[in-house]
Amino acid sequence: MSDFSRPHSRRRFLLTAGASAMGSIFLKGCLGNPPEPNAGTQTTPTTPVPAANIDPAMAPETTAIKLGFIPIVESAALVIAKEKGFFAKYGMSDVELSKQANWASARDNVTIGSQGGGIDGGQWQMPMPHLISEGIITGGQKVPMYVLAQLNTNGNGVAIAKLHTGKGFGVNTSNAADYIKNFASTNGRKFKAAHTFPNVNQDFWIRYWFAAGGVDPDRDIDLLAVPPAETVQGMRNGSMDAFSTGDPWPYRIVADDIGFMACITTEMWPFHPEEYLGIRADWVDKNPKATKALLKGLMEAQQWCDRIENRPELVQIVSGRNYFNVPVEVLTPPYEGSYEMGDQKPAIKDFNKGPLYWKDPVGNVSYPYKSHDLWFLTETMRWGFHNNYFKDFDQIKQVIDRVNREDIWREAAQEAGFSADIPQGTSRGVEKFFDGVEFNPENPQAYLNSLRVKRI
């Protein structure tokens, strides 16, 4: 496998600044979805941080960018960076956060770009930036993207409808495998599970969870992409059995007594990669200083988010109507690392198992490890997604090298004085999952070979 520790040079990055910007790009038959009006406004009082003394040589080319976000905990650092003034501190005083209706809307809006009424980038499940760059989920229209930072780790889980209480559901699905596989024989339909968007994070989490216990997610169950609200309603009326979900949904499911948590994802893969900041390559190439200013503000916000003493204020800010629009009491438990699991499982009370934004016990959260991109695209190959577009690891590495701009993250961290937290290389090393399977970025083929359930 190719070396993942060779960063792009600073010279190479700066040379791209003169590249001509792409024009607005339209999807066939779809002009995107207009953002929610006033989505970036927040009424919760907050004290902004003082502005940095910006070296004129580092002053951003523009103070404005339009970033999309989904109202879940993964986007919290973006919200805090705006509301607490971390973006403005580094000269990005006109960052607009645009609430997206769903992941399809975000995809469509980044395809047309802010010049066409869409967005310049924002929050993404992985590997959406790679798929958009290759034109795989944009009707063949390639929109080059750069992955610039990871937004968080943890904050997800697998929820099960109350109907299945006492059937052996937990992090190890083998205890419930026979029940799941035989469900159709007694209920007239297959066991039905869902995620929020196909072929990305939450789809991968629930697929891995099923497959590790011997349940084939493509053959033994019905696995669908469904909006969260519809999934919750399905759990209420008995037509939906499980879904891959993110905070704050786990709290509501258990508190409203409509289901329980089989597991949270950090039990499956400790401190796994979650969602990312990705921006159109044409915007970054045109605005290299603004890109680094944006990253510095995000990094400082991520550090602020991880301080326990700041969590109450974080919850107050992100719970507001223009952001997550959920009660404070719903957001507080996950931000304390407190999860009531239900189904007679012991509650989880561990700060490090809730959402983390800057560092975790095994490494830096914000830094976009190329080894994690490799895992997401290896899983894409595993399940035969996108008509087997990804055929070998040389091709995958080339896509990662085009999309992952960890070199820009490093430059921004160095300039901001966060040198102590910069990882040594672009790989986090061998990753170990709850079922004993290991992913070695230096030998992804061995990982594929070790998996029992796959489409290759």
Side-chain angles (χ1 to χ4, degrees):
M1 184 59 198
S2 304
D3 178 21
F4 273 91
S5 62
R6 177 175 52 80
H8 294 271
S9 67
R10 172 179 171 83
R11 175 177 173 79
R12 178 178 173 185
F13 170 57
L14 293 177
L15 285 173
T16 64
S20 59
M22 292 175 60
S24 298
I25 304 170
F26 290 83
L27 281 174
K28 290 183 179 179
C30 180
L31 299 183
N33 299 276
E36 187 169 308
N38 303 318
T41 319
Q42 177 56 254
T43 57
T44 303
T46 184
T47 304
V49 297
N53 185 13
I54 301 171
D55 183 336
M58 293 184 179
E61 302 85 354
T62 177
T63 62
I65 188 172
K66 191 172 182 180
L67 300 175
F69 77 98
I70 301 290
I72 50 179
V73 298
E74 286 84 344
S75 65
L78 292 172
V79 174
I80 293 301
K82 177 177 175 62
E83 291 299 325
K84 292 292 293 182
F86 292 112
F87 284 145
K89 175 180 177 179
Y90 292 99
M92 296 301 293
S93 54
D94 300 301
V95 175
E96 179 181 349
L97 298 184
S98 174
K99 188 185 293 188
Q100 303 296 293
N102 50 49
W103 294 108
S105 297
R107 174 204 60 200
D108 295 348
N109 281 325
V110 83
T111 302
I112 64 176
S114 63
Q115 296 299 313
I119 58 178
D120 298 304
Q123 167 194 356
W124 303 102
Q125 291 195 63
M126 288 285 271
M128 288 183 77
H130 306 75
L131 303 178
I132 293 169
S133 291
E134 295 297 294
I136 296 171
I137 59 172
T138 51
Q141 179 64 63
K142 294 184 178 182
V143 184
M145 298 281 292
Y146 290 153
V147 165
L148 297 167
Q150 183 176 308
L151 292 174
N152 72 301
T153 184
N154 301 340
N156 272 267
V158 177
I160 307 294
K162 186 178 179 181
L163 166 69
H164 310 295
T165 300
K167 301 300 184 181
F169 285 93
V171 67
N172 184 349
T173 49
S174 61
N175 297 325
D178 288 342
Y179 173 77
I180 295 169
K181 292 178 180 180
N182 295 327
F183 191 77
S185 65
T186 55
N187 292 272
R189 64 170 177 82
K190 286 184 177 181
F191 189 91
K192 187 180 292 186
H195 48 76
T196 57
F197 194 78
N199 314 153
V200 294
N201 286 38
Q202 290 185 2
D203 189 1
F204 289 147
W205 303 149
I206 200 165
R207 281 175 173 272
Y208 194 100
W209 177 74
F210 276 120
V215 176
D216 189 321
D218 292 319
R219 296 168 180 167
D220 295 333
I221 65 170
D222 284 334
L223 185 58
L224 313 168
V226 177
E230 291 183 25
T231 307
V232 171
Q233 183 57 33
M235 292 180 78
R236 288 185 190 277
N237 63 29
S239 63
M240 183 64 66
D241 303 298
F243 76 102
S244 178
T245 183
D247 289 323
W249 290 104
Y251 175 92
R252 285 185 153 173
I253 289 162
V254 177
D256 292 353
D257 197 28
I258 61 172
F260 60 92
M261 298 303 297
C263 65
I264 54 176
T265 46
T266 194
E267 296 179 281
M268 295 168 52
W269 179 3
F271 310 111
H272 58 80
E274 188 46 41
E275 293 180 11
Y276 285 71
L277 172 66
I279 298 176
R280 287 174 59 121
D282 56 356
W283 192 95
V284 174
D285 291 342
K286 184 179 179 181
N287 303 292
K289 296 176 185 178
T291 299
K292 289 192 286 184
L294 192 78
L295 280 172
K296 293 169 191 176
L298 174 65
M299 292 174 187
E300 200 160 335
Q302 289 176 303
Q303 294 170 49
W304 186 93
C305 287
D306 274 1
R307 297 187 190 107
I308 295 176
E309 65 271 20
N310 292 335
R311 288 293 173 96
E313 185 180 356
L314 183 158
V315 168
Q316 286 288 341
I317 293 171
V318 302
S319 65
R321 178 179 59 83
N322 292 315
Y323 291 117
F324 296 2
N325 193 28
V326 297
V328 167
E329 58 269 23
V330 170
L331 276 176
T332 297
Y335 275 118
E336 294 175 343
S338 179
Y339 293 89
E340 294 294 331
M341 302 297 286
D343 195 24
Q344 300 186 335
K345 295 182 178 65
I348 292 174
K349 297 187 182 298
D350 183 344
F351 182 82
N352 283 330
K353 290 186 176 177
L356 298 173
Y357 298 92
W358 178 246
K359 290 180 74 174
D360 59 36
V362 297
N364 190 295
V365 173
S366 177
Y367 175 77
Y369 290 98
K370 285 189 175 182
S371 60
H372 288 161
D373 294 34
L374 177 60
W375 182 84
F376 283 113
L377 293 179
T378 300
E379 284 291 288
T380 300
M381 185 188 295
R382 170 191 184 178
W383 296 112
F385 290 157
H386 312 299
N387 297 317
N388 294 296
Y389 177 89
F390 296 102
K391 299 183 184 302
D392 60 61
F393 292 109
D394 286 339
Q395 177 200 17
I396 284 175
K397 182 192 178 296
Q398 290 171 14
V399 173
I400 292 172
D401 283 344
R402 286 196 295 270
V403 176
N404 184 305
R405 295 305 305 272
E406 56 79 32
D407 57 311
I408 305 177
W409 188 100
R410 287 176 182 274
E411 287 189 20
Q414 185 74 39
E415 291 176 7
F418 306 142
S419 304
D421 293 328
I422 299 176
Q424 293 297 310
T426 65
S427 173
R428 199 172 72 169
V430 176
E431 306 285 350
K432 189 169 184 177
F433 298 82
F434 74 99
D435 55 348
V437 170
E438 292 187 349
F439 175 75
N440 184 345
E442 297 304 318
N443 190 2
Q445 187 62 52
Y447 167 79
L448 277 179
N449 293 343
S450 73
L451 300 168
R452 293 181 295 165
V453 184
K454 52 197 170 189
R455 299 281 85 84
I456 58 173

